Structure formats: structure tokens, C-alpha cells
Amino acid sequence: MKKLFLMAIAAVMSLSASAQLISSNTVTHKKGNGYNRLSVSYTSLSNIGEDGMSGISAAWTKGIAISKTTPLFIETGLGLNYAWKSEDEYKTNWLTATVPVNLVYKYEITDGIKLAPFAGLYLRGNLVGNISSDYFDEDISFFDDYEASRFSFGWNIGVGVDINKFYLGISYGSDLNEFVEDADKIGTFSATVGFNF
């Protein structure tokens, strides 16, 4: 009976040692509450006129952890975007609000530096859009005069880098629906800087 008791203790101790060895050699990700980010972006929009448009955006992003063992996140949030173009006597202004939903994987390169490729979809509300000129009695509206869509949806892909609390990223996306009937779909390149908290 004594031998059986000693063998049971030895078996429990060996299992405990094996578990410690496995856990020490396995990279784990602790599930937390995620993160928030405030960011600003320079944007370049293609297929709006021949020369495209420049823009700037400010955004709040929420990252939600979806796995206890893998650094996988869903990112969503809200961005306010303003784009403009001046050409000869004409000035174009466009104000939109965007809600993205992206899947993000954060790969740790070194302590404090993470590479974060992402891909997903977005919904954009086209709030204000017009063309103004001294030649016009009143501004031309994208929506009243061109019957542009008030809502757009599309895809985007990109990569970010978290350097401690700071964020740098680039992305490209394209609408899946037409902003104006029989026109090219709008593509957007963005370069982003932000702060995670």
C-alpha cells in the first residue's frame, strides 16, 4: 500500500513538471479587454475626376480580443473623413463617415513592437458633397444633381505596426458599389498615425 501511495505521488509530480515544461515553451496570448486607438490619416481617393482627391480623416478604433490563445482581434470604430480638390475655378468638397469591421492578427516582432496585418469591410455614409465655382449661381450637389449614393460599402486591406503605444499603418480599399451610376468605383489609399490606449 505504501508503494502504491508513493507511485501516485510520483505520477502527480511528474505530470506537474510536464505541465510546467509545456507552458514555459508555449507562447500564449492573454485575453484582455482589447484596446482603443485615436488616429489621423492622410487619404488619397482615386476615380473622382481625373486627378483624384486628397483628404484627411480622424478616427476612433476599438479592438476586441476574440481568442484566449491567439492575438486575434476584431477592429471597428468610427472615422470622419474630409476630402477636397481644387482645379482651375472649381472646388470639390466631400464629407463622409466610415464604420470599418476588420480582422487583425498582431504578430509580436520584439518586446513592444507588433506587426498587425488586417482585412475587412466598411460602410461609409456620404454626408456632404458639392462642387463650387464663381461660374455657378449655386453649388452643384453630388446627391441632388448627380444622384450619388448616400451609402457606400467596400473592402480594405492593410498593415499596421504598434510601437509600444504608438501606431503606424497603411491601407488600401475600394468600394463595391458605384458612388454615381455608370462611374468607376472609388479606391482609397490611407497612411495613418495613432495612439493606442
Side-chain angles (χ1 to χ4, degrees), residues 147-169:
E147 298 182 354
S149 173
R150 282 286 182 181
F151 293 96
S152 301
F153 61 95
W155 60 268
N156 62 271
I157 189 168
V159 64
V161 178
D162 289 322
I163 304 170
N164 295 316
K165 295 286 186 181
F166 296 97
Y167 176 83
L168 300 171

Side-chain angles (χ1 to χ4, degrees), residues 10 40 89 183:
V40 292
E89 301 295 324

Side-chain angles (χ1 to χ4, degrees), residues 34-115:
Y35 53 89
N36 289 281
R37 178 186 310 125
L38 294 176
S39 62
V40 292
S41 301
Y42 165 77
T43 57
S44 177
L45 286 76
S46 59
N47 298 333
I48 300 184
E50 294 179 2
D51 300 324
M53 297 177 75
S54 296
I56 190 166
S57 67
W60 163 74
T61 302
K62 175 68 177 175
I64 304 163
I66 59 174
S67 172
K68 291 182 179 179
T69 57
T70 306
L72 200 60
F73 298 84
I74 295 288
E75 279 189 353
T76 188
L78 179 64
L80 193 61
N81 321 292
Y82 173 68
W84 68 90
K85 179 173 72 170
S86 293
E87 192 173 44
D88 298 327
E89 301 295 324
Y90 303 96
K91 185 171 183 180
T92 304
N93 297 289
W94 193 26
L95 182 66
T96 64
T98 304
V99 176
V101 179
N102 292 317
L103 184 65
V104 184
Y105 182 85
K106 295 203 171 196
Y107 176 75
E108 189 166 358
I109 299 172
T110 63
D111 189 30
I113 300 177
K114 296 175 183 173
L115 188 67

